[in-house]
Amino acid sequence: MTDYTLHVPSIRGATVDSPDIPYQEDDFPTDDFAEIDDYYLLSTSDIPPESFDDLHLPVAHIDQRLSLPLLKRALEKVETLDDIDVQTKRETIDMIHDLGECFPNHDLTTDDDIGSL
C-alpha cells in the first residue's frame, strides 16, 4: 500500500474554468516543491514532496485558483486509487467536499461543469 500524505492546498480564488492538464513540472513559475505542492492534494513522499512525480490530484490552476473541474476530477480519481489507505481516502474525499463549498451553486457529483477533462 502506498503511503499518501494529504495536503491542504493554498488557493487564491476559484474558477469554473478547466485548466490544461496534465501539468508538467516546468508549467509552474517555481521549481520549489514546497510551493508546487500547493496545487495538489496528495503526495506519495511527504510535504514538501521529494519530486514532482510524487504529487497527485491537482485541484488548482497555475495561478492558484481552485478549479471546480479539477475538484470533480479529483473526486473521481481518488476512488480509483487502489493503494490508498481507507482513512486517507476518506480524509481526501472530505477535503474535496470542503473545498467544493467554494462553489455553492455547483454540485461536485454532476458532469455539467467538467468539460473535456
Side-chain angles (χ1 to χ4, degrees):
M1 186 167 291
T2 304
D3 188 22
Y4 288 93
T5 302
L6 180 60
H7 174 66
V8 179
S10 296
I11 56 172
R12 297 180 181 156
T15 182
V16 295
D17 295 334
S18 298
D20 292 328
I21 55 171
Y23 290 141
Q24 303 299 316
E25 186 173 350
D26 60 354
D27 290 336
F28 295 91
T30 181
D31 59 0
D32 183 355
F33 293 130
E35 292 180 28
I36 293 175
D37 66 16
D38 283 335
Y39 300 81
Y40 291 82
L41 292 181
L42 295 175
S43 171
T44 55
S45 51
D46 204 357
I47 301 297
E50 295 173 12
S51 78
F52 182 77
D53 293 331
D54 294 343
L55 295 168
H56 299 275
L57 303 181
V59 293
H61 280 256
I62 297 299
D63 63 5
Q64 280 189 296
R65 289 179 300 150
L66 185 64
S67 169
L68 178 62
L70 286 179
L71 280 178
K72 289 181 176 191
R73 183 174 185 267
L75 190 60
E76 292 174 1
K77 293 290 182 182
V78 75
E79 293 294 343
T80 67
L81 297 175
D82 295 330
D83 56 347
I84 189 171
D85 69 82
V86 174
Q87 180 178 347
T88 303
K89 183 176 186 176
R90 180 78 254 150
E91 290 170 357
T92 304
I93 291 169
D94 289 346
M95 184 178 295
I96 292 169
H97 284 286
D98 289 347
L99 290 168
E101 291 178 13
C102 291
F103 303 95
N105 297 322
H106 298 276
D107 182 357
L108 287 178
T109 60
T110 63
D111 291 341
D112 60 343
D113 300 309
I114 291 182
S116 61
L117 288 179

